[in-house]
Amino acid sequence: QMQLVESGGGLVQPGDSLRLSCAASKSTFSRYSVGWIRQAPGKEREFVAGMSWSAERTDYSDAVKGRFTISRDSAKNTVYLQMSSLKPEDTAVYYCAADPSGELRYSNYYYWGQGTQVTVSS
């Protein structure tokens, strides 16, 4: 069973940057596709960013494209989400997810973390 643990969330001001981390419990994580999905209060979960296992394919939602960057460090079994120029509408619980298919996914990930809260407010 793969466990994913997010960290790095918090309260920031509009325009600030923040980096989320997601640490996996097994080295086989390096062969999994990964993604970040968020859920704002009263809204459905939405895809934010995803990456194939090889990192050859990445994609972002239109809402974050150009501001967020997904990356992974396979040696550390960790995936990151670098967020910049944060806006109040980025406020949400951010979930890390992984899938053994290895393919870039937009939903239906097999493993999920517990989530980390990001609040953007002045």
Side-chain angles (χ1 to χ4, degrees):
Q1 185 80 0
M2 179 76 68
Q3 293 185 332
L4 305 175
V5 179
E6 302 98 334
S7 60
L11 172 63
V12 297
Q13 294 187 340
D16 283 353
S17 297
L18 200 61
R19 189 178 78 161
L20 305 182
S21 299
C22 173
S25 61
K26 296 186 176 181
S27 61
T28 49
F29 181 72
S30 65
R31 305 289 294 184
Y32 286 28
S33 53
V34 293
W36 289 94
I37 292 85
R38 69 185 182 186
Q39 187 167 23
K43 295 186 177 181
E44 296 184 352
R45 287 187 179 182
E46 65 168 338
F47 169 82
V48 175
M51 174 180 284
S52 62
W53 76 272
S54 64
E56 288 184 357
R57 295 192 65 204
T58 60
D59 203 3
Y60 300 88
S61 69
D62 288 342
V64 308
K65 197 168 292 184
R67 299 188 297 121
F68 290 11
T69 302
I70 186 172
S71 62
R72 69 191 305 169
D73 185 336
S74 295
K76 296 182 178 180
N77 297 329
T78 301
V79 61
Y80 305 98
L81 185 68
Q82 179 67 47
M83 306 183 292
S84 61
S85 302
L86 283 161
K87 305 175 182 180
E89 50 263 45
D90 294 318
T91 295
V93 176
Y94 284 72
Y95 297 91
C96 170
D99 195 86
S101 71
E103 300 172 352
L104 174 63
R105 301 183 73 92
Y106 296 86
S107 62
N108 297 325
Y109 283 88
Y110 194 84
Y111 295 108
W112 291 78
Q114 293 300 305
T116 185
Q117 176 71 46
V118 173
T119 303
V120 184
S121 175
S122 56

